[in-house]
Amino acid sequence: MATSTRTGKKLAEYRAKRDFRRTPEPSGRERRKPPPAGGGRRFVVQRHRARRLHYDLRLEMDGVLVSWAVPKGPTLDPKTRRLAVRVEDHPLSYYDFEGVIPEGYGKGDVIVWDWGTWEPADGADPTEALQQGDLHFDLRGQKLKGRFVLVRRDKPDGQDDWLLLHKHDDDAEPGWDPEEHPESVKTGRTNDELQGVS
Ligand code: MN
C-alpha cells in the first residue's frame, strides 16, 4: 500500500536507531491502534529522563508523530521561548508509550506527561507550514492549552533547531513551570514511580 510504504520510509530513521528485541518501545509495525483522540489530530508530550531530562513534543501529521525534543519542556508562559530540537518521526503507536528504555538509544524512563488533540491555526496546511518552518497550532491537552508556535531557526551547526512558544491568549499563564506538574496524565505516576514498578 502506498500509504504504509510512505510511513515506513518516514520511520526508517526511528527503526534504525532501535533494537526492538531490547527496547519496549513500539516498532510501528504492531496491529494495535493508539487510543482514539476523540476526533482530530493527536498530540503527546512525553517526559523522558534520558542522559539528560527532556520533554518530547509529538504532533500527529501524515500518519506519523512529528517530534521535537524540548530540553526545558513546554510552558504556558508567553514570555518564554524554549529550544525545540526536531528529531526523527515516531510511529503513531508511540502516542501512549510509557516505559523504561534499557541500555542503548534513549536509555531512561518515559511517561505520558500530556496528551490530547491539536489543530493547525487558521486552517493552515500543517505539512506546508512544517516545511516553511513556521507552524502555529492550538493544543487541547490536560496541561497544555491554547495557541503555540514552532519556528525554525537558522542552523549553522546542522542541528534542526526550532523555538517553541505560547502566544498571549486566554490560556497563557505567566511563570508556568512544567516541572511543577510532573505526573503522567495516563497513570498519575511520576518517572520515579515508573522506575519503582518496572
Ligand atoms: Mn526523548
Side-chain angles (χ1 to χ4, degrees), residues 130-150:
L130 190 70
Q131 278 168 0
Q132 302 286 333
D134 189 14
L135 180 63
H136 295 235
F137 56 103
D138 295 314
L139 293 184
R140 283 188 287 272
Q142 296 184 34
K143 297 174 185 173
L144 299 179
K145 294 175 164 61
R147 176 72 48 93
F148 287 80
V149 179
L150 271 166

Side-chain angles (χ1 to χ4, degrees), residues 48 54 56 58:
H48 184 185
H54 60 276
D56 291 298
R58 313 188 195 281

Side-chain angles (χ1 to χ4, degrees), residues 11 14-15 37 43 45 52 88 110 116 124 142 145-146 184 188 197:
L11 295 177
Y14 173 87
R15 289 176 177 143
F43 88 90
V45 177
R52 287 185 187 166
E88 76 276 14
V110 176
Q142 296 184 34
K145 294 175 164 61
S184 162
V197 298

Side-chain angles (χ1 to χ4, degrees), residues 18 25 46-50 52 54-56 58 68-70 87 90 94 101 105-106 110:
R18 290 166 175 82
E25 297 167 284
Q46 277 140 331
R47 187 174 186 272
H48 184 185
R49 272 195 320 191
R52 287 185 187 166
H54 60 276
Y55 290 69
D56 291 298
R58 313 188 195 281
W68 289 262
V70 186
V87 296
H90 279 46
Y94 214 95
I101 301 170
Y105 185 74
V110 176

